[in-house]
Amino acid sequence: MKLIWNILKVLLAVFMIYAGSQHFINPDFFNPFVPDVLVFKTAIIYGSGILEVGLGILLLVPKFASKAALAIFVLMLLFLPIHLWDVFSDTPAIGSHQAALIRLPMQLVLIALSFKLYKTNA
């Protein structure tokens, strides 16, 4: 069972590193996800990219893995309202209602997985 959780931890880390790097490769994609009431949208996009890449890397370091899993859990909870809003929006930021409906359960899986990794001390 420990092998399965280690594989899931590595997959989550790779996902976080990939997703975070996309904030730098294609920042315009993330622009619609940042609410208009927030200033410095580009800085928020780059900052969240740095955070995601950093947490993905820390998840692979045994000494920091549990804390990284908890931080990913919190980050995914913070992003959850954006994904909920997207599902019910007339014009989803992700592009389509179908994509928004797929992304929401994926977000819930990331929340559950990161919490479980935290509880199992990653």
Side-chain angles (χ1 to χ4, degrees):
M1 195 64 173
K2 186 170 174 70
L3 175 64
I4 292 171
W5 286 111
N6 280 332
I7 291 169
L8 290 172
K9 177 173 67 170
V10 169
L11 288 175
L12 179 59
V14 168
F15 173 80
M16 292 299 294
I17 293 166
Y18 173 78
S21 67
Q22 290 303 304
H23 288 69
F24 304 99
I25 295 167
N26 189 10
D28 291 338
F29 173 80
F30 296 93
N31 225 11
F33 292 102
V34 181
D36 290 332
V37 297
L38 298 176
V39 293
F40 308 116
K41 287 178 103 172
T42 302
I44 291 169
I45 291 166
Y46 288 148
S48 61
I50 291 168
L51 190 58
E52 289 178 19
V53 170
L55 290 174
I57 291 169
L58 288 175
L59 194 58
L60 298 172
V61 179
K63 181 178 179 180
F64 301 109
S66 183
K67 286 183 174 54
L70 179 60
I72 292 168
F73 170 74
V74 171
L75 187 64
M76 294 300 110
L77 282 177
L78 290 172
F79 289 165
L80 184 59
I82 294 167
H83 299 298
L84 283 169
W85 168 81
D86 217 25
V87 166
F88 298 105
S89 173
D90 290 335
T91 55
I94 189 85
S96 71
H97 282 100
Q98 183 178 3
L101 286 170
I102 292 169
R103 191 173 184 152
L104 182 59
M106 287 177 43
Q107 186 74 12
L108 296 174
V109 168
L110 294 173
I111 289 168
L113 177 58
S114 58
F115 186 72
K116 180 65 175 174
L117 288 171
Y118 166 67
K119 293 302 270 182
T120 59
N121 292 315

